[in-house]
Amino acid sequence: MNIDWLAFLIVAVATLVSALLVVGSYGLGVRLLAVASDAPESRRPAYRGLAYLSFAVAAVAVGYGIYLIVPAFH
Amino acid sequence: MDLTFIVALVVVLALFFDFTNGFHDTANAMATPIATGAIKPKTAVALAAVLNLVGAFLSTEVAKTVSGGLIREGEGGIQITPLMIFAGLIGAIVWNIITWLLGLPSSSSHALFGGLIGAAIVGAGFQAVDYGVVVSKVLLPAILAPLIAGTVAYLATKLAYWITKRDESASSPKRGGFRYGQIFSSSLVALAHGTNDAQKTMGVITLVLIAGGFQAAGTGPEFWVILSCALAIAIGTYSGGWRIIRTMGSGLTEVKPAQGFAAESSTASAILASSHLGFALSTTQVASGSVIGSGLGRKGAKVRWDTAGRIGIGWLLTLPAAGGIGALAAFIAHLGMVGVVIDAVAGAVVIGLMYIRSKRNQIGHDNAISDVDQAGEIVRIKRKKKRKATAKKRAKQLAALSAGPLEPTASPEEAGRPDQVAGRKQAGLKQAGRKQATAAAARAAKIGTTSNQDGTDEGVER
């Protein structure tokens, strides 16, 4: 019987990295938006911008993940 | 017996199986965002259907596992016949519908494999099945994938709460943003479902085409097969959604937006990674693993072992039970034309039963929204208010003890026991009781028995 344990390791690591990256960056965005609403007027746009940047990171991570698994793109 | 007729019958049955799969699994992806109000029901269902359709086109690795690895067909292997696949499908469909009627959680993927394996063994003996592939691509993923998804969901939930944790004094609800994130994370789950589940049917149809000599052994699914499977699962998802919408409010496990987002991200990652490597796993089981893991990631979580055990037994039973029915169906089918007719009639009767049952719109504790939702009940999370109440009571008792004469008071155990009805009522009173809860929280914080970090989004979700 030939069991490909490496494949399971790949699934585990890929799941861990992608889920934590997406949740972490999206969570950071959520936090920064909340921080922005508390911040003084002058610094608000900066926090907002960083928040949207975090959301963008999450979106790019998802997009890259899908790109990786679709054979048609390679 | 006409070979083409049997092959056509199998194709139709397989597509029907695909339809029921979509019908059954919509809730896994879309129940949470509908419940939290992040997305309108109609939109959610349509979105899930479209994403299942798209997902079915993304990759064909799982289909290849089913069509090329599981059963040794072609040269050097066993000549499997379309009849065996027919019997296997009957076994899978019958078992699926039995479990559905009884409200047992089960996996349609395992039913499919069980049925096929049982039928192949009866039709061609024990050497017909490649047990190495069964273990490495079906059984082990079935155990490991939910574990991986659960562990990751646990960590992701911790991360989500930690990263959004702010001082008490800071204004504005902090985790409401996750509600919108859930639109995307559940979309990903729907997409992942398409990449894994639609392909199992593609694999079966390809297998029967190969067995019938309509396609060369070792080739992937034809385009018309991919297209029809994608459509069948999408239509199934769409029609299944309406049932969910009708049954909304019949007792969804309470999932908070941040927790749901973490769970769905983990589910989608695990399924997409597994699909890529050709693991044919049960999306329901992976989603259940994530929901349990993320529940444990929240404060005050406890496992309800009896519920967990019941679900676990349902999962374990599926493969052998569907195998048994598949074997029986194969045995009958080998009687010749009469056998095929008996099988087909039995299948039709069971499907008819299912249709009648689905019309009845009867929702109980067991067949509520989805299997994943059921799994969510494994984890018991004390409400923030309840935890505060327990802490308060304990503090009072301590005070009473130190003050002098003892009075019999209710034990903290009792105060913490979740009664479903009481829980619901409490949810209704939540708004009104918030001020008192905050006051209680302040007192509890002074006593130092509880910490106040995970409940800060309570006001956001309603």
Side-chain angles (χ1 to χ4, degrees):
Chain A
M1 203 175 290
N2 187 16
I3 294 164
D4 191 358
W5 292 106
L6 185 66
F8 289 108
L9 191 70
I10 292 172
V11 170
V13 171
T15 306
L16 186 75
V17 169
S18 52
L20 290 188
L21 187 64
V22 169
V23 171
S25 52
Y26 192 91
L28 191 64
V30 169
R31 186 196 174 105
L32 284 169
L33 275 188
V35 170
S37 62
D38 284 343
E41 198 69 54
S42 60
R43 299 228 304 267
R44 254 176 222 188
Y47 280 124
R48 287 252 161 78
L50 282 176
Y52 291 130
L53 190 70
S54 304
F55 291 137
V57 168
V60 168
V62 169
Y64 182 65
I66 291 174
Y67 165 79
L68 276 184
I69 64 159
V70 179
F73 290 155
H74 298 279
Chain B
M1 194 178 315
D2 194 4
L3 190 68
T4 321
F5 172 72
I6 295 282
V7 170
L9 199 61
V10 169
V11 171
V12 171
L13 266 184
L15 289 177
F16 177 78
F17 182 83
D18 205 21
F19 174 88
T20 55
N21 187 309
F23 184 86
H24 188 262
D25 287 359
T26 324
N28 293 355
M30 287 300 174
T32 343
I34 295 175
T36 54
I39 188 166
K40 281 194 192 120
K42 275 187 195 179
T43 325
V45 170
L47 190 64
V50 169
L51 287 166
N52 263 289
L53 186 78
V54 172
F57 283 98
L58 289 188
S59 146
T60 52
E61 289 306 316
V62 175
K64 283 178 195 155
T65 296
V66 178
S67 71
L70 212 56
I71 295 171
R72 297 196 182 110
E73 86 267 20
E75 279 171 56
I78 300 299
Q79 195 55 52
I80 58 153
T81 61
L83 212 55
M84 286 182 212
I85 302 167
F86 168 77
L89 266 177
I90 291 277
I93 289 174
V94 168
W95 174 252
N96 248 352
I97 289 166
I98 291 173
T99 52
W100 190 68
L101 288 172
L102 296 177
L104 281 172
S106 86
S107 147
S108 41
S109 321
H110 287 192
L112 182 63
F113 296 131
L116 284 177
I117 292 169
I121 289 174
V122 164
F126 281 96
Q127 71 275 26
V129 178
D130 190 337
Y131 297 98
V133 175
V134 172
V135 172
S136 69
K137 296 241 165 157
V138 180
L139 289 183
L140 275 178
I143 299 164
L144 290 176
L147 274 180
I148 291 171
T151 314
V152 171
Y154 173 83
L155 295 171
T157 307
K158 288 269 182 214
L159 177 68
Y161 278 102
W162 175 77
I163 215 163
T164 50
K165 185 180 159 192
R166 297 188 71 202
D167 288 343
E168 287 286 301
S169 58
S171 73
S172 81
K174 287 91 190 168
R175 284 162 199 148
F178 281 112
R179 205 153 45 134
Y180 301 102
Q182 270 198 292
I183 299 174
F184 300 102
S185 59
S186 33
S187 297
L188 271 181
V189 173
L191 187 81
H193 182 258
T195 64
N196 206 288
D197 279 26
Q199 287 190 52
K200 289 161 194 153
T201 319
M202 290 177 209
V204 170
I205 295 179
T206 305
L207 189 64
V208 80
L209 290 176
I210 292 172
F214 295 95
Q215 192 179 331
T219 51
E222 305 259 359
F223 181 74
W224 70 266
V225 176
I226 299 178
L227 181 68
S228 51
C229 288
L231 282 173
I233 204 164
I235 295 167
T237 303
Y238 193 75
S239 29
W242 291 108
R243 191 175 62 101
I244 299 162
I245 293 166
R246 266 189 297 158
T247 57
M248 281 306 295
S250 63
L252 266 184
T253 313
E254 197 181 325
V255 176
K256 302 239 172 184
Q259 183 195 351
F261 182 76
E264 283 158 7
S265 303
S266 315
T267 305
S269 310
I271 297 175
L272 287 172
S274 304
S275 294
H276 186 52
L277 290 166
F279 294 160
L281 39 79
S282 159
T283 46
T284 305
Q285 290 178 359
V286 174
S288 302
S290 290
V291 166
I292 296 167
S294 72
L296 291 174
R298 280 179 57 189
K299 282 227 153 182
K302 264 187 184 172
V303 176
R304 288 196 184 108
W305 289 111
D306 50 339
T307 317
R310 201 167 54 87
I311 291 174
I313 288 169
W315 285 0
L316 285 179
L317 218 64
T318 300
L319 202 71
I325 299 176
L328 185 70
F331 184 73
I332 297 170
H334 276 268
L335 297 175
M337 197 61 199
V338 189
V340 175
V341 171
I342 294 174
D343 272 356
V345 168
V349 165
V350 173
I351 290 162
L353 268 179
M354 179 185 115
Y355 181 74
I356 294 165
R357 178 66 186 254
S358 73
K359 284 281 159 193
R360 228 191 278 163
N361 193 18
Q362 189 185 55
I363 305 303
H365 169 75
D366 286 334
N367 61 353
I369 298 294
S370 71
D371 288 347
V372 174
D373 190 48
Q374 245 179 312
E377 286 174 17
I378 290 176
V379 181
R380 198 186 87 187
I381 297 159
K382 272 194 193 176
R383 298 270 171 101
K384 179 188 172 193
K385 209 173 137 193
K386 220 160 220 173
R387 291 206 309 272
K388 299 282 139 59
T390 316
K392 211 174 112 190
K393 209 151 217 172
R394 209 171 279 151
K396 252 188 193 166
Q397 275 187 329
L398 277 177
L401 276 175
S402 58
L406 289 175
E407 261 176 62
T409 41
S411 72
E413 276 285 306
E414 244 162 61
R417 191 171 299 158
D419 180 309
Q420 283 220 323
V421 182
R424 292 252 166 79
K425 271 188 191 155
Q426 228 180 13
L429 292 172
K430 223 178 200 176
Q431 290 293 345
R434 178 132 320 122
K435 278 202 175 135
Q436 285 101 300
T438 322
R443 264 170 296 183
K446 259 180 214 157
I447 303 156
T449 40
T450 48
S451 75
N452 184 32
Q453 63 142 323
D454 81 319
T456 28
D457 59 342
E458 292 225 297
V460 192
E461 30 153 43
R462 268 162 230 279

